[in-house]
Structures are given as structure tokens and as C-alpha cells.
């Protein structure tokens, strides 16, 4: 149900309950005609709002202020992250927005997902939220969070506006948010005007809140803002205990989602890849917040399309199913796991040959994930194994050194062997090369190791029997003091273990 189907007219959600609007929206809307601004008839009947009803709606509501709020479990971590941010940019005002709702049509919106930078620094996930670090006269910064307060009952905003709590659910009061987040909380509706008048150097995280950026248009520069983004990206490189716990939870829930899929493979055969996507999604929504990225449910030759998210193909016995999916936790940390499964439960000899090669490459990659190693080492280790297999199978002319030197294996390996993982599936994406691909691994880094081999259906350079086979195996690795821990190890990887696991689940 949407706000516009109500008897009471709804305001534009974009405007929100702005200060200075009519003191009594009930009255101001009372004479609205029965037709919309474009002259079309609205979906529901509109009746004049009587003064009696407007008055009636103001009264008879309980005080629901909560006094039992405890700080978020990650509050100590977010405070430490803000302190690091403060130390990096002394004397500058720093503005990190969560982002706004994006309209899908009229008064419906796409699901909201707060910016990862904002979540990392606050633990909050609310639309329109903004974190501000205000430089202090004595050095350091004072951090404040700016949020929508509770809906006003006196002016009818709670039930007559599209952002009212009656439509969207109860919000925390500012006082509750202060306790929850460990930050002074202020009304976000006055922030843009305050920022527009403020003086002194300022940086804003761009791309999330056009209103805030507009307020800072003549004050912030793209170049200095980018330095803020890079810093915030690199700050997420080493995960703390809270984050590692969340990533463990994401991987455990993801493993259960993969098990769900194996149990319904016969039903997926009767429908399509969509059944697999939907099955995994159910697990993601029940145990987590969402999927961390669009599920890739790629059966048969679709497995050779790296980001196959259309998921509208058939699932046939005899095919391989490449399932790349991750549960995002309620705190927004995601897993990113791939298994390539024989739909029938048993690999054909050629499927097994390709699968085992990818498995061997992944083993070599995982062995190269340890403190002191450079990020790109595990990629090189996996590529070397795959190049060797391609030479051995006569698909490319050796020796292996020549193949690697010229990168010839990449026709079939296609992508990098992994990436950082955390709040974003491709986490720390703005980090500089020296902090990422050329940087040394250290305990607390979490990354994927995901080699693959993909023989396109139209690749005339390989024998016909290879065409249409795509295999990727992807796991989520935590770098530890003495090597690594595979956070997604609950899902078997070796071909015989995959078959045994599938047989167990299907009985
Ligand atoms: N699921 C996207 C990736 O593996 O990077
Ligand atoms: Mn990945
Ligand atoms: Mn993936």
C-alpha cells in the first residue's frame, strides 16, 4: 500500500517534513482537489479533512520514548574509526552522508542501502543521515550525527506526509539515537542551511546526497573530496573483531543458503535459474538484510558469463550450475562465495577435469594468502596453475612461462583471482594500489580467492566438448597471524566432497 492511496493527501517524499511548512498540514491539504497535479484521477477517493478529525488525530497517543536503549555492539569500534579520520584531516570539517531514497515511481522507492562509509563510521543505516566532524578550537573534532527526528503528532506530519511514521514505521527519537550510536544527534532538516553558511575547509563524501553537496558546492573541491574517499576506503582494509564476527556470520548463513539450493535442484530443473535465485534470497532475507550483490545463478553455458544475473535460463541435468551468492548481514557485511555444482549430482569426466584444475589453482592461491605476502601473490599462484593446465591440455602453446608472460591464459581465466571483502562485496575499492594490489597482507584483511576457467560457447579455439563449460570456486579468507582461515570452509570444494555433500542433502 502506498501513501497516495490514502484518503489524506501525501506530500512529496523528497520534501519531507521540512521546517517552515504549513503549521497544520491537515488544514493546508484539506481543500486539495480530487485530481493529481497532472490532472489524472488518483487511485483512491479523497475527502475533505474535517477540523474535527485533524484535532482528533493529535490526541490519544501514548508516549513511546524508549529508555532501555543500549549502545550498538560496534559503537566502540565506530568511535575509534572516527578518531582515526579526525587525526588524518585536522582542522577540516568532514561530511559523510548515508544517502537518500531513490524514487522508483511516484511515491515508491528502491530499497535503501546506506553508504558503506557512513555505516562504517556510525553503525547507523538510516536514509538521509549525515555524519559531520566539526573541527574544534583545541584540535580534534566534535562528531555529530544528523537524522530525521520522530514525526510530529501536533501538525499531522506523522500521518499526512509520505515520510510520516504512520506510513513507514517508527523512527528512533534523536535521544534514542544518541544512546544507540554514542553520538550527539541533531535534526538533519537544518543541516544543509548550516553547512552552506559555515566557513573553513570542508570535505564531503560525494555521490550520496545531492542536497548536502549542493550546500557545499562552492566550498569543497573534487580533488580534496577524493582524498577523503580514498582514506575511508583504505580505513576498511583491516577488519576488527566485530567485523570479522559479522563476516563469519555472513559466510555461515551463505553456506545454509547453498544447502537450501542443493535441496531444491529438482524444482529448479522444473522451472529455471530464477528458482535458485529465489531460494537463496529467502535465506538472505530471513537470516540477514539482503543479498550482498545480485545472485549469479548460471546453469550450463551461462556459467561462462561472469556476472550472469538475468537468471532466466533453464537448469538441466548434465549441466553445471555456477552459483555465486552471498548473504549480507543485518549490519551490512557480505559473504561472496561461488560453488560450481553438477546439477545431476555427479561431474562428467570433462567437467571434473576442468573443475579439479580450478580447485588446484584455488589451493595454490589460498596457500599464498599469509601475512607479508603481497596481495597479487595469490593471483599469480592461481594463474600459474591454470596456465599449466591449459598447456597440458593442448589448448595453448607452452611453455608456461611464455603463456604467463604474454597473459595468454586470460582468454579463459578472464578475471582477477580475488578482491577485498567487507561492507562492500568489492570492498576498499578506492584504495591506492600501494594499499591494495601492491600492499602486503596483514592479519585482519579479508579477501576472496576465486579462480575460474571459462570456455565460451562460441570459442572456436578449443575443442567442441569444452565449449559452454564455466567453473569458478570462490572462498572468503581471513588473513591470520600465521596464514589464513577459510571463513566459507563449511561448503565443500573438492569434487568428490562436493558430490558426497550433494548426495547427502538430496536424500
Ligand atoms: N560476485 C562477484 C565477485 O565474485 O566478485
Ligand atoms: Mn568475488
Ligand atoms: Mn562472487
Amino acid at each position: 500500500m502506498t501513501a497516495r492511496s490514502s484518503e489524506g493527501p501525501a506530500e512529496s517524499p523528497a520534501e519531507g517534513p521540512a521546517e517552515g511548512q504549513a503549521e497544520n498540514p491537515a488544514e493546508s491539504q484539506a481543500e486539495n482537489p480530487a485530481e493529481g497535479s497532472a490532472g489524472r484521477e488518483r487511485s483512491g477517493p479523497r475527502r475533505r479533512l474535517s477540523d474535527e478529525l485533524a484535532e482528533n488525530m493529535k490526541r490519544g497517543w501514548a508516549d513511546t520514548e524508549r529508555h532501555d536503549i543500549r549502545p550498538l555492539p560496534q559503537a566502540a569500534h565506530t568511535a575509534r574509526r572516527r578518531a582515526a579520520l579526525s587525526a588524518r584531516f585536522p582542522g577540516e570539517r568532514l561530511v559523510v552522508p548515508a544517502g537518500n531514497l531513490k524514487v522508483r515511481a511516484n511515491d515508491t522507492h528502491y530499497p535503501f542501502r546506506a553508504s558503506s562509509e557512513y555505516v562504517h563510521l556510525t553503525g547507523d543505516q538510516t536514509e538521509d543521515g549525515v555524519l559531520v566532524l566539526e573541527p574544534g578550537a583545541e584540535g580534534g573534532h566534535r562528531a555529530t550525527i544528523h537524522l530525521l527526528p520522530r514525526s510530529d503528532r501536533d501538525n499531522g506530519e506523522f500521518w499526512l506526509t509520505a515520510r510520516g511514521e504512520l506510513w513507514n514505521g517508527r523512527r528512533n527519537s534523536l535521544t534514542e539515537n544518541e544512546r544507540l550510536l554514542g553520538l550527539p544527534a541533531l535534526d538533519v532538516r537544518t543541516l544543509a542551511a548550516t553547512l552552506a553558511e559555515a566557513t573553513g575547509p570542508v570535505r564531503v563524501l560525494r555521490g550520496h546526497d545531492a542536497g548536502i553537496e549542493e550546500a557545499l558546492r562552492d566550498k569543497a573541491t573534487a580533488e580534496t573530496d577524493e582524498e577523503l574517499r580514498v582514506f575511508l576506503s583504505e580505513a576498511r582494509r583491516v577488519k576488527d573483531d566485530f567485523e570479522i564476527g559479522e563476516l563469519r556470520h555472513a559466510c555461515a548463513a551463505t553456506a545454509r543458503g547453498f544447502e537450501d539450493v542443493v535441496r531444491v535442484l529438482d524444482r529448479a530443473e522444473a522451472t529455471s535459474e530464477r528458482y535458485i535465485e529465489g531460494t537463496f534470497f529467502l535465506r538472505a532475507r530471513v537470516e540477514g538484510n539482503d543479498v550482498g550483490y545480485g545472485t549469479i545463478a548460471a546453469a550450463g553455458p551461462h556459467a561462462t558469463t561472469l556476472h550472469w544475473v538475468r537468471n532466466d535460463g533453464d537448469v538441466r541435468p548434465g549441466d553445471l550450475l555456477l552459483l555465486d551468492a552471498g548473504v549480507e548481514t543485518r549490519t551490512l557485511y557480505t559473504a561472496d562465495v561461488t560453488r560450481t555444482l553438477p546439477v545431476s549430482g555427479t561431474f562428467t569426466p570433462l567437467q571434473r577435469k576442468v573443475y579439479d584444475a580450478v580447485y588446484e589453482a584455488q589451493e595454490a592461491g589460498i596457500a599464498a594468502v599469509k601475512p607479508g605476502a603481497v596481495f597479487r601473490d595469490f593471483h599469480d599462484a592461481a594463474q600459474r596453475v591454470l596456465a599449466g593446465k591449459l598447456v597440458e591440455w593442448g589448448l595453448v602453446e607452452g611453455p608456461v612461462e611464455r603463456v604467463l608472460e604474454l597473459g595468454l591464459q586470460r582468454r579463459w581465466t578472464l578475471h582477477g583471482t580475488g578482491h577485498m571483502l567487507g561492507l562492500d562485496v568489492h570492498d576498499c575499492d578506492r584504495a591506492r594500489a600501494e594499499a591494495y594490489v601492491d600492499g602486503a597482507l596483514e592479519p585482519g584483511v579479508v579477501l576472496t580467492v576465486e579462480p575460474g576457467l571459462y570456455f565460451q560457447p562460441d570459442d572456436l579455439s578449443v575443442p567442441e566438448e569444452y565449449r559452454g563449460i564455466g567453473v569458478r570456486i570462490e572462498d572468503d579468507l581471513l588473513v591470520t597471524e600465521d596464514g589464513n582461515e577459510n571463513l566459507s570452509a563449511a561448503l565443500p570444494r573438492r569434487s568428490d566432497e562436493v558430490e558426497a555433500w550433494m548426495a547427502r542433502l538430496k536424500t
Side-chain angles (χ1 to χ4, degrees):
M1 191 189 198
T2 64
R4 288 209 184 267
S5 65
S6 76
E7 289 192 347
E11 295 183 357
S12 158
E15 288 169 17
E19 271 199 348
Q21 72 182 52
E23 269 184 27
N24 186 344
E27 281 177 14
S28 71
Q29 302 282 2
E31 303 300 338
N32 269 7
E35 300 221 325
S37 55
R40 294 185 304 273
E41 200 171 321
R42 291 178 191 264
S43 53
R46 297 189 143 227
R47 301 198 188 116
R48 189 177 183 284
L49 183 62
S50 68
D51 291 345
E52 287 77 3
L53 177 57
E55 277 306 308
N56 177 285
M57 287 298 282
K58 292 181 186 176
R59 291 188 301 274
W61 308 107
D63 176 3
T64 61
E65 180 76 7
R66 290 182 57 190
H67 302 283
D68 58 345
I69 301 253
R70 312 283 309 160
L72 285 177
Q74 67 268 46
H77 294 291
T78 57
R80 204 187 53 249
R81 296 168 196 156
R82 292 192 298 271
L85 174 61
S86 166
R88 168 65 181 81
F89 297 107
E92 300 187 44
R93 182 174 289 105
L94 307 169
V95 182
V96 181
N100 314 123
L101 293 173
K102 182 169 164 46
V103 173
R104 176 171 167 166
N106 307 318
D107 60 350
T108 57
H109 299 92
Y110 289 101
F112 177 74
R113 208 298 194 159
S115 73
S116 295
E117 292 88 346
Y118 174 85
V119 173
H120 192 243
L121 291 167
T122 67
D124 183 54
Q125 300 179 21
T126 318
E127 64 268 20
D128 299 332
V130 184
L131 172 72
V132 178
L133 266 62
E134 199 72 32
E138 311 278 304
H141 289 81
R142 177 177 185 262
T144 48
I145 194 159
H146 300 251
L147 296 161
L148 269 185
R150 297 217 49 199
S151 286
D152 195 326
R153 304 258 170 164
D154 279 342
N155 69 7
E157 182 253 319
F158 79 103
W159 72 294
L160 291 173
T161 71
R163 297 300 301 277
E165 287 178 285
L166 185 137
W167 292 102
N168 301 296
R170 186 187 185 282
R171 293 192 282 268
N172 287 338
S173 70
L174 295 179
T175 309
E176 289 168 348
N177 271 321
E178 288 188 352
R179 290 204 195 98
L180 189 68
L181 307 172
L183 278 167
L186 303 170
D187 187 339
V188 71
R189 293 173 297 181
T190 54
L191 179 62
T194 306
L195 289 174
E197 283 166 19
T199 55
V202 58
R203 297 181 196 243
V204 59
L205 181 72
R206 297 190 180 202
H208 299 289
D209 192 321
I212 295 292
E213 284 177 38
E214 177 60 23
L216 296 170
R217 191 157 50 99
D218 300 327
K219 302 168 192 283
T221 73
E223 197 182 357
T224 52
D225 288 350
E226 185 58 20
E227 288 169 0
L228 171 64
R229 183 189 299 281
V230 168
F231 175 83
L232 294 176
S233 199
E234 293 180 5
R236 295 186 358 231
R237 210 171 142 268
V238 175
K239 272 62 181 177
D240 57 41
D241 289 349
F242 175 82
E243 297 181 291
I244 291 167
E246 290 302 299
L247 287 162
R248 281 186 199 288
H249 176 50
C251 287
T254 296
R256 288 187 279 274
F258 274 67
E259 289 173 359
D260 296 340
V261 167
V262 171
R263 286 194 194 95
V264 300
L265 269 182
D266 51 348
R267 271 181 266 169
E269 279 174 44
T271 52
S272 76
E273 294 162 343
R274 289 274 161 99
Y275 202 95
I276 289 164
E277 178 190 334
T279 300
F280 189 84
F281 184 61
L282 178 62
R283 178 65 66 171
R285 288 292 282 171
V286 170
E287 286 208 36
N289 178 60
D290 203 339
V291 287
Y293 53 91
T295 293
I296 298 166
H302 291 158
T304 64
T305 300
L306 296 180
H307 285 172
W308 177 260
V309 291
R310 274 181 237 159
N311 299 342
D312 59 356
D314 294 332
V315 179
R316 298 189 186 87
D319 279 349
L320 291 176
L321 167 70
L322 187 157
L323 177 60
D324 182 343
V327 172
E328 177 190 65
T329 63
R330 299 203 173 145
T331 56
L332 308 189
Y333 287 83
T334 190
D336 179 13
V337 176
T338 306
R339 289 293 180 269
T340 306
L341 310 170
V343 172
S344 67
T346 310
F347 291 98
T348 67
L350 181 60
Q351 288 170 349
R352 190 184 307 276
K353 180 172 98 166
V354 176
Y355 185 95
D356 287 349
V358 174
Y359 173 76
E360 204 179 303
Q362 199 202 21
E363 284 284 275
I366 290 174
V369 174
K370 54 192 170 195
V374 173
F375 181 91
R376 63 169 84 247
D377 288 350
F378 73 86
H379 171 72
D380 293 343
Q383 292 289 303
R384 176 169 292 277
V385 172
L386 294 174
K389 297 291 178 186
L390 292 163
V391 170
E392 185 186 316
W393 299 340
L395 302 184
V396 63
E397 191 185 327
V400 172
E401 289 308 331
R402 181 190 87 96
V403 173
L404 290 170
E405 177 71 24
L406 300 176
L408 300 178
Q409 81 284 0
R410 290 174 57 188
R411 181 180 176 105
W412 303 284
T413 65
L414 296 181
H415 55 78
T417 307
H419 51 82
M420 302 280 186
L421 183 71
L423 282 166
D424 291 329
V425 61
H426 295 163
D427 213 37
C428 313
D429 211 38
R430 297 296 177 123
R432 295 161 301 155
E434 57 262 44
Y436 200 146
V437 285
D438 296 329
L441 299 181
E442 54 189 303
V445 166
V446 177
L447 50 80
T448 69
V449 178
E450 51 175 308
L453 278 176
Y454 312 90
F455 300 103
Q456 303 300 320
D458 58 349
D459 185 349
L460 301 182
S461 76
V462 296
E464 196 173 349
E465 63 265 29
Y466 285 90
R467 296 177 203 159
I469 293 180
V471 173
R472 178 163 65 254
I473 314 174
E474 175 172 27
D475 283 82
D476 301 342
L477 282 295
L478 165 67
V479 181
T480 59
E481 295 292 339
D482 55 358
N484 67 65
E485 178 188 345
N486 185 345
L487 301 179
S488 43
L491 289 170
R493 293 183 292 126
R494 224 175 57 196
S495 54
D496 58 335
E497 290 175 355
V498 167
E499 288 171 337
W501 169 74
M502 291 180 73
R504 222 170 34 245
L505 288 172
K506 282 175 149 185
T507 54

